[in-house]
Amino acid sequence: MVNPVQNYAWGTRDTLARLRGENKPASEPEAELWVGAHAKAPSSVLTAGGTKSLADWVDEDPETVLPEGTSGFPFLFKILAIDSPLSLQVHPSEQQAVEGFEKENRAGIALGANERNYKDDRSKPETVIAYSPVRLLTGIRPAAELKRIAKELNLTWLAELADYDAAEIIKAIFAKDETSSALALDATVNAAMDWSLAHPFDEDDAAYRRDREGFDLDAVADLILLLHDAYPGDRGTLVAVAMNQLFLKPGESAHTPHGQVHAYLQGTAIEIMNPSDNVMRAGLTPKHIDIKELLSVVVADQPAPDLVLPAEQQPGVARYGLWDSHMHVDHVAVSPDNPVEYTCDGLSAILCVEGDVEVAGAGERIGLRGTESALHIGSRDVLTLSGNGQVYTAVRT
């Protein structure tokens, strides 16, 4: 398959280019590589009869392509290349997505319109897997942590909100008038500057120092300055102060359910989600912001997710379970002396992220390089993966 790249401003010029094996950066930022059949940017399938859009192939022959019990291509698989913070956002539940999609259709808002929130009628739970160290925000901290941060940084506005639930905290921040918001932002940025002068934060190897005493407060102060530099005056920074800040080591995964506020800050990651592009944004972005719609879909309970490592299935193969028991992601690593016999069961997108990997089986032999992918459909097959590289395989049985 040939997979489209999304050129968003928060992407990098070198990450995907490097994974492709190119020796120069891209001409513009490359933020996401998409593997799937979403109407916005479907992958193309190279078949014996020529190149065909995966979305068209699914529409023309769903019984051949899709697993039993599915009505559309069941996932969207991505590589994220994050150079700077991307939007403070929330995704809807299935019911909210259906209602929102129909509402915007009735209003005559074009699918490609900038102000469109609901691009489809699907929910968008997502799981991110760190390929490099990844820094992200997700959910709202418990009251005790918020009170500690408020005390150490002398943030009165945060102390006043600490006992609210997650949805109430977000709503209260956006309910502030312009003067109150500006005063809170100024106090927060000044406190972060003072703290950072006394406690400098080193981003290098931060994920490996995350459990050290004092790390959390140093990271909060650094976060405030990072967001202030990227989006000065944006009250989304106040929400970010209240959020769980996670530093993932390579190989760790974190799940974000619908209704949970989140934002990715730095790093390279593999991401799998429902095949949706529904996003409500509330700040930290030049894209369309719809705070009212975001507030309508946030949930009250937003704990930090567990950081999960994959379970080894066999030498060279490790598995990440997902929110749907019919789905999983496998990480497969091969070297010249260690090919892998890999069982593919159901619809599978095999995405190469590093090196050169040959996939043989089911009467086919395909060579993959970084960011190239292959699609397995149909019955259970044992494939031989060889070469020197890594692939991630998204599977729907």
Side-chain angles (χ1 to χ4, degrees):
M1 289 193 294
V2 176
N3 305 304
V5 170
Q6 305 296 326
N7 302 107
Y8 304 142
W10 51 263
T12 77
R13 295 178 186 271
D14 61 342
T15 301
L16 293 178
R18 186 176 63 252
L19 294 181
R20 289 192 296 265
E22 298 174 1
N23 57 11
K24 63 179 182 179
S27 59
E28 57 183 318
E30 297 180 319
E32 300 182 354
L33 179 135
W34 285 23
V35 183
H38 194 279
K40 178 182 176 181
S43 298
S44 297
V45 182
L46 306 180
T47 69
T51 301
K52 178 175 292 189
S53 161
L54 179 56
D56 290 344
W57 190 22
V58 170
D59 288 342
E60 292 168 7
D61 194 4
E63 292 185 359
T64 297
V65 181
L66 301 179
E68 185 178 350
T70 61
S71 58
F73 199 83
F75 54 76
L76 184 55
F77 204 27
K78 296 183 180 182
I79 302 176
L80 305 181
I82 310 159
D83 188 51
S84 60
L86 61 141
S87 57
L88 196 67
Q89 58 186 259
V90 176
H91 305 308
S93 68
E94 195 81 26
Q95 180 177 345
Q96 290 165 340
V98 169
E99 293 173 353
F101 186 67
E102 292 176 350
K103 178 182 177 181
E104 292 187 343
N105 283 346
R106 289 194 302 270
I109 303 173
L111 277 177
N114 180 59
E115 67 272 23
R116 182 97 189 194
N117 292 310
Y118 296 92
K119 310 294 196 304
D120 49 71
D121 59 0
R122 299 293 301 271
S123 63
K124 193 181 176 186
E126 59 190 41
T127 293
V128 66
I129 300 168
Y131 178 71
S132 74
V134 169
R135 184 179 187 179
L136 61 86
L137 302 170
T138 183
I140 300 296
R141 295 174 185 265
E145 289 189 25
L146 295 178
K147 290 175 181 177
R148 178 173 58 85
I149 293 170
K151 179 180 179 181
E152 294 291 346
L153 297 183
N154 193 28
L155 301 179
T156 304
W157 68 267
L158 184 59
E160 292 172 347
L161 301 180
D163 288 317
Y164 290 14
D165 69 34
E168 290 170 339
I169 288 172
I170 297 168
K171 290 176 182 177
I173 289 172
F174 286 109
K176 288 179 177 292
D177 60 42
E178 291 297 326
T179 299
S180 298
S181 176
L183 288 172
L185 271 169
D186 286 345
T188 301
V189 172
N190 289 334
M193 289 180 176
D194 291 341
W195 187 273
S196 292
L197 285 173
H199 308 86
F201 182 75
D202 185 0
E203 291 182 8
D204 292 340
D205 299 322
Y208 299 93
R209 295 182 286 106
R210 66 193 183 196
D211 296 325
R212 293 185 185 178
E213 185 176 354
F215 175 89
D216 194 29
L217 277 166
D218 297 350
V220 170
D222 180 74
L223 169 70
I224 294 166
L225 298 181
L226 175 70
L227 298 180
H228 175 66
D229 183 60
Y231 302 102
D234 192 321
R235 70 176 70 192
T237 298
L238 301 180
V239 179
V241 174
M243 294 173 68
N244 301 295
Q245 185 173 193
L246 306 181
F247 293 81
L248 277 63
K249 301 172 186 176
E252 292 183 327
S253 69
H255 178 64
T256 299
H258 68 80
Q260 180 146 320
V261 63
H262 61 285
Y264 297 130
L265 302 175
Q266 293 166 331
T268 306
I270 310 301
E271 187 178 42
I272 186 166
M273 60 187 66
N274 272 0
S276 172
D277 195 36
N278 289 330
V279 183
M280 283 82 245
R281 301 179 184 90
L284 309 180
T285 180
K287 292 185 177 182
H288 174 62
I289 290 173
D290 191 334
I291 293 169
K292 180 179 179 181
E293 193 65 28
L294 180 141
L295 294 177
S296 75
V297 302
V298 296
V299 297
D301 186 27
Q302 299 190 28
D306 294 329
L307 301 186
V308 180
L309 287 167
E312 185 177 35
Q313 303 298 296
Q314 66 186 74
V317 181
R319 178 163 298 175
Y320 297 88
L322 299 175
W323 62 91
D324 184 335
S325 62
H326 293 286
M327 292 173 55
H328 60 265
V329 171
D330 288 336
H331 174 248
V332 185
V334 299
S335 63
D337 297 327
N338 294 286
V340 172
E341 298 293 309
Y342 176 68
T343 301
C344 235
D345 189 8
L347 179 66
S348 307
I350 305 169
L351 173 62
C352 183
V353 295
E354 183 179 303
D356 294 270
V357 176
E358 183 179 80
V359 182
E364 300 283 348
R365 185 179 296 272
I366 300 172
L368 300 176
R369 300 186 65 192
T371 76
E372 295 180 340
S373 65
L375 187 68
H376 172 272
I377 61 175
S379 60
R380 182 185 182 96
D381 289 300
V382 177
L383 308 179
T384 300
L385 276 62
S386 58
N388 190 20
Q390 300 181 49
V391 305
Y392 284 88
T393 303
V395 181
R396 205 302 184 172
T397 58

